[in-house]
Amino acid sequence: MPIPQIISKLHKISKYMLPKTKIFITIIFFTLLLASCEPEEFKTKGVVLEELSPEYAIPIVNSNLSLDNLISNTSTGFIRKQNDGFLSMVYRGTMQSSKAEEIINIADQNYIKKVNLTLSQANALNNGQQQVIEFQTIQGFNAGGREIDSIWLKAGTYATQLESMIKTSGTINVTIVDAIKNSTQLIAQIPFNYQGNLPVNGAQYLPLVGFHWDMTKGGQGYNEIRINYSITLNPTTETINAGDEIQISTAFQGIKFSRFYGYIGKIDLFDNKDTIDMSIFDNSKTGNFSIDDAIIKIKTGNSFGAEITGGITNLEGYTKGSGNYTITNPPNPLPIKTPTISEAGKFVYDSAIMNKSNSNVPQVINNKPKQIIFQAFIKVNPSGKLQRNFVTDNSQLKIDIEIELPLYGTAQNMVMEEEQKTELEMPEDEEIVENLMIRFTGNNGFPIDLSTQVYFADSFNVVFDSLFSNINYKFLEAAQVGSDGKVTVPTNKTTDIMFDKERAKRLSKLSKIKIRAELSTLNNSGVYPSVKLYSNYKLGIKIGIKTKLNLKLKNL
């Protein structure tokens, strides 16, 4: 076979083998992290294997990985690194209330004022004298049980309409005395013109955006608005009668506030249940696992300027088939701060911590729960009008539940299992491959023993081969640690796995890889001391495939 064709065959083998080998190595690293953190993409470099013609080495992986390389966030958790590189696995859940603008709805307001001419006013108009009628009303503002001292408006319309049965023209000004924008009052100015027909109509519509509206000036101290009316009637030659009427309709529609001062009422903000998925235990089947301390931090953020109370009504770990494990001593009441008036619109925070000193959190976590279930309630102004309130449209209350698992502990005979769909396309000319050898060279800087087995299954999920002859092949032994739990000496190992011609051919029906990994922290004569995981621990991996080809060379 000509040399160019040989090179082409080798290229195909490299192309088909490379991505599937990455899948296997990636899943092994899942187990090393004790979590579901996907590693960064491996970078392929040359692997030097002895070359004896007609044997050819195909480089697959030459990587020196640390946890810094492997750390990536998942949908349910992330890795936290301290300044010294010590690592914790963190899971979070969040509850949050609706925003104040979604809770506090302000109804449309409608007012009608009728004005009837007196006899003297009618006579004056009949005698060619202009008449100006001025008066003020105080109207109650319907806030649905809430009390508005003042509000800043971000939306809404001020609509003023008139219907006159007086046979003359004129102008009407309707002023909302205490609604101010840029030092200017909210005024509707509506000219009307009598043209021989009644009624005479007019209207004006003004946006409310940007107005600050004070409702404390009416005497009651809240929910009252002052409206000034000024009606100018022009002299006319028409006959004007006492009792002739003008009707003025005033409406406030679609009101939305940006700030609200007053009393927002008693509100059950929420009483919700939620779960946090603990993906660190997703693939764990058997064995003992312990973390020396686990921490639950409950953090509240509040931007309601009101009396707030809340509590935890349920906090537990749950694993299907194993039951629920109640977490004791949750903070009740919840620590919740209230912003000051100068902090209006800002979140203020408070928190409580549960750990081994005040709760059974570590014991529950060491039962390997798949979920943490929590339920909490929040009430606003539960005692009534103890204080005046202030909120913005975006005021909200949030509860963050953070579960932190410092990676300081032990693992004993923990079995992790994973499946991956895959395929391995062999060269079209299968007879060219005499055998395949996969070489693993590892340098383990982690204090974790890794025993592993890889099963090859076809499209019917039938296992037809396995990578190692030993079901629990110890791929890498744990590195040695000192008294402080840190690694002192890494371990090294090289393993060759040979595939003869027939075994290599069977790989063509590969459809699924099943990985079974058993891991334990460093075992000192049956004692499993607690160890720590740091971000600078390294795992050196070199992987290569060496193939022996069955070549028939023609004489040149």
Side-chain angles (χ1 to χ4, degrees), residues 519-545:
L519 56 93
S520 298
T521 49
L522 183 66
N523 182 352
N524 290 333
S525 302
V527 177
Y528 294 81
S530 293
V531 297
K532 296 181 179 180
L533 292 185
Y534 288 83
S535 61
N536 61 348
Y537 286 174
K538 296 185 183 297
L539 178 64
I541 292 291
K542 294 182 179 180
I543 303 173
I545 295 177

Short mmCIF file of all heavy atoms in Angstrom, two decimals, residues 519-545:
data_model
loop_
_atom_site.label_atom_id
_atom_site.label_comp_id
_atom_site.label_asym_id
_atom_site.label_seq_id
_atom_site.Cartn_x
_atom_site.Cartn_y
_atom_site.Cartn_z
N LEU A 519 -14.61 5.58 44.01
CA LEU A 519 -13.57 6.46 44.51
C LEU A 519 -13.57 6.48 46.02
O LEU A 519 -14.59 6.30 46.68
CB LEU A 519 -13.73 7.87 43.94
CG LEU A 519 -15.06 8.60 44.16
CD1 LEU A 519 -15.00 9.46 45.40
CD2 LEU A 519 -15.38 9.46 42.95
N SER A 520 -12.39 6.66 46.55
CA SER A 520 -12.19 6.75 47.99
C SER A 520 -11.07 7.74 48.25
O SER A 520 -10.12 7.85 47.46
CB SER A 520 -11.81 5.40 48.60
OG SER A 520 -12.82 4.44 48.43
N THR A 521 -11.20 8.48 49.34
CA THR A 521 -10.08 9.30 49.75
C THR A 521 -8.98 8.40 50.28
O THR A 521 -9.17 7.20 50.49
CB THR A 521 -10.53 10.31 50.82
OG1 THR A 521 -11.27 9.62 51.84
CG2 THR A 521 -11.42 11.38 50.23
N LEU A 522 -7.82 8.96 50.48
CA LEU A 522 -6.63 8.20 50.87
C LEU A 522 -6.92 7.26 52.02
O LEU A 522 -7.47 7.64 53.05
CB LEU A 522 -5.53 9.18 51.26
CG LEU A 522 -4.18 8.58 51.64
CD1 LEU A 522 -3.55 7.91 50.43
CD2 LEU A 522 -3.27 9.67 52.18
N ASN A 523 -6.58 5.99 51.83
CA ASN A 523 -6.86 4.95 52.82
C ASN A 523 -5.58 4.58 53.55
O ASN A 523 -4.68 3.98 52.98
CB ASN A 523 -7.45 3.72 52.10
CG ASN A 523 -7.81 2.61 53.08
OD1 ASN A 523 -7.51 2.68 54.27
ND2 ASN A 523 -8.46 1.59 52.56
N ASN A 524 -5.51 4.97 54.81
CA ASN A 524 -4.36 4.61 55.64
C ASN A 524 -4.74 3.43 56.54
O ASN A 524 -5.29 3.61 57.63
CB ASN A 524 -3.91 5.80 56.50
CG ASN A 524 -3.29 6.89 55.65
OD1 ASN A 524 -2.75 6.62 54.59
ND2 ASN A 524 -3.37 8.13 56.11
N SER A 525 -4.51 2.21 56.04
CA SER A 525 -4.80 0.99 56.81
C SER A 525 -6.25 0.95 57.28
O SER A 525 -6.56 0.65 58.43
CB SER A 525 -3.86 0.90 58.02
OG SER A 525 -2.51 0.90 57.60
N GLY A 526 -7.17 1.25 56.36
CA GLY A 526 -8.58 1.19 56.69
C GLY A 526 -9.13 2.46 57.30
O GLY A 526 -10.34 2.56 57.52
N VAL A 527 -8.30 3.42 57.57
CA VAL A 527 -8.74 4.70 58.11
C VAL A 527 -8.78 5.72 56.98
O VAL A 527 -7.83 5.83 56.20
CB VAL A 527 -7.79 5.19 59.24
CG1 VAL A 527 -8.23 6.56 59.73
CG2 VAL A 527 -7.76 4.18 60.36
N TYR A 528 -9.88 6.42 56.89
CA TYR A 528 -10.06 7.39 55.82
C TYR A 528 -10.02 8.80 56.41
O TYR A 528 -11.04 9.34 56.84
CB TYR A 528 -11.39 7.17 55.09
CG TYR A 528 -11.45 5.86 54.35
CD1 TYR A 528 -11.74 4.67 55.02
CD2 TYR A 528 -11.20 5.81 52.98
CE1 TYR A 528 -11.78 3.47 54.35
CE2 TYR A 528 -11.24 4.61 52.30
CZ TYR A 528 -11.53 3.44 52.98
OH TYR A 528 -11.57 2.25 52.30
N PRO A 529 -8.85 9.40 56.48
CA PRO A 529 -8.76 10.74 57.07
C PRO A 529 -9.40 11.78 56.16
O PRO A 529 -9.47 11.59 54.94
CB PRO A 529 -7.25 10.97 57.19
CG PRO A 529 -6.67 10.15 56.09
CD PRO A 529 -7.55 8.93 55.99
N SER A 530 -9.87 12.85 56.76
CA SER A 530 -10.44 13.94 55.98
C SER A 530 -9.34 14.61 55.17
O SER A 530 -8.23 14.82 55.66
CB SER A 530 -11.12 14.97 56.89
OG SER A 530 -12.25 14.40 57.51
N VAL A 531 -9.66 14.94 53.93
CA VAL A 531 -8.72 15.63 53.06
C VAL A 531 -9.40 16.85 52.47
O VAL A 531 -10.62 16.95 52.43
CB VAL A 531 -8.21 14.71 51.94
CG1 VAL A 531 -7.45 13.53 52.49
CG2 VAL A 531 -9.38 14.23 51.06
N LYS A 532 -8.56 17.76 51.99
CA LYS A 532 -9.06 18.99 51.40
C LYS A 532 -8.74 19.01 49.91
O LYS A 532 -7.72 18.47 49.48
CB LYS A 532 -8.42 20.21 52.08
CG LYS A 532 -8.77 20.37 53.55
CD LYS A 532 -8.11 21.62 54.13
CE LYS A 532 -8.48 21.81 55.60
NZ LYS A 532 -7.84 23.03 56.18
N LEU A 533 -9.62 19.65 49.15
CA LEU A 533 -9.39 19.82 47.72
C LEU A 533 -9.07 21.28 47.45
O LEU A 533 -9.83 22.18 47.83
CB LEU A 533 -10.61 19.39 46.91
CG LEU A 533 -10.94 17.90 46.92
CD1 LEU A 533 -12.10 17.61 45.99
CD2 LEU A 533 -9.73 17.06 46.54
N TYR A 534 -7.94 21.50 46.77
CA TYR A 534 -7.50 22.84 46.41
C TYR A 534 -7.47 22.97 44.90
O TYR A 534 -7.28 21.99 44.17
CB TYR A 534 -6.11 23.13 46.99
CG TYR A 534 -6.11 23.32 48.48
CD1 TYR A 534 -6.06 22.23 49.35
CD2 TYR A 534 -6.16 24.59 49.04
CE1 TYR A 534 -6.07 22.40 50.73
CE2 TYR A 534 -6.16 24.77 50.41
CZ TYR A 534 -6.11 23.68 51.26
OH TYR A 534 -6.12 23.86 52.61
N SER A 535 -7.61 24.20 44.45
CA SER A 535 -7.72 24.44 43.01
C SER A 535 -6.42 24.14 42.27
O SER A 535 -6.44 23.93 41.05
CB SER A 535 -8.13 25.89 42.76
OG SER A 535 -7.16 26.79 43.27
N ASN A 536 -5.28 24.14 42.96
CA ASN A 536 -4.02 23.92 42.25
C ASN A 536 -3.60 22.45 42.20
O ASN A 536 -2.53 22.13 41.71
CB ASN A 536 -2.91 24.75 42.90
CG ASN A 536 -2.66 24.37 44.36
OD1 ASN A 536 -3.46 23.64 44.95
ND2 ASN A 536 -1.59 24.86 44.94
N TYR A 537 -4.42 21.55 42.72
CA TYR A 537 -4.12 20.13 42.56
C TYR A 537 -4.17 19.80 41.06
O TYR A 537 -5.07 20.25 40.36
CB TYR A 537 -5.14 19.27 43.30
CG TYR A 537 -4.97 19.27 44.81
CD1 TYR A 537 -5.91 18.62 45.61
CD2 TYR A 537 -3.89 19.89 45.43
CE1 TYR A 537 -5.76 18.60 46.99
CE2 TYR A 537 -3.75 19.88 46.79
CZ TYR A 537 -4.69 19.24 47.58
OH TYR A 537 -4.55 19.23 48.94
N LYS A 538 -3.22 18.95 40.63
CA LYS A 538 -3.11 18.68 39.20
C LYS A 538 -3.26 17.19 38.91
O LYS A 538 -2.85 16.35 39.69
CB LYS A 538 -1.77 19.18 38.65
CG LYS A 538 -1.59 20.69 38.73
CD LYS A 538 -0.29 21.14 38.08
CE LYS A 538 -0.10 22.64 38.23
NZ LYS A 538 -1.15 23.39 37.53
N LEU A 539 -3.85 16.94 37.78
CA LEU A 539 -3.96 15.58 37.26
C LEU A 539 -3.36 15.58 35.87
O LEU A 539 -3.89 16.17 34.94
CB LEU A 539 -5.43 15.14 37.20
CG LEU A 539 -5.68 13.75 36.63
CD1 LEU A 539 -5.06 12.68 37.53
CD2 LEU A 539 -7.17 13.49 36.47
N GLY A 540 -2.20 14.90 35.75
CA GLY A 540 -1.55 14.82 34.46
C GLY A 540 -2.00 13.57 33.72
O GLY A 540 -1.95 12.46 34.27
N ILE A 541 -2.48 13.72 32.51
CA ILE A 541 -2.99 12.59 31.72
C ILE A 541 -2.33 12.63 30.34
O ILE A 541 -2.35 13.65 29.66
CB ILE A 541 -4.52 12.67 31.56
CG1 ILE A 541 -5.21 12.43 32.89
CG2 ILE A 541 -4.99 11.64 30.54
CD1 ILE A 541 -5.10 11.03 33.41
N LYS A 542 -1.76 11.49 29.98
CA LYS A 542 -1.31 11.30 28.60
C LYS A 542 -2.00 10.05 28.07
O LYS A 542 -1.99 9.01 28.71
CB LYS A 542 0.20 11.12 28.54
CG LYS A 542 1.00 12.36 28.93
CD LYS A 542 2.50 12.11 28.80
CE LYS A 542 3.30 13.34 29.18
NZ LYS A 542 4.75 13.12 29.05
N ILE A 543 -2.60 10.18 26.91
CA ILE A 543 -3.33 9.06 26.32
C ILE A 543 -2.94 8.98 24.85
O ILE A 543 -2.90 9.99 24.15
CB ILE A 543 -4.85 9.25 26.43
CG1 ILE A 543 -5.26 9.43 27.90
CG2 ILE A 543 -5.59 8.06 25.83
CD1 ILE A 543 -6.71 9.78 28.07
N GLY A 544 -2.65 7.77 24.44
CA GLY A 544 -2.33 7.58 23.03
C GLY A 544 -2.84 6.24 22.55
O GLY A 544 -3.09 5.33 23.33
N ILE A 545 -3.04 6.15 21.27
CA ILE A 545 -3.42 4.89 20.64
C ILE A 545 -2.26 4.48 19.72
O ILE A 545 -1.81 5.26 18.88
CB ILE A 545 -4.70 5.03 19.81
CG1 ILE A 545 -5.88 5.34 20.73
CG2 ILE A 545 -4.97 3.76 19.01
CD1 ILE A 545 -7.17 5.57 19.97
#
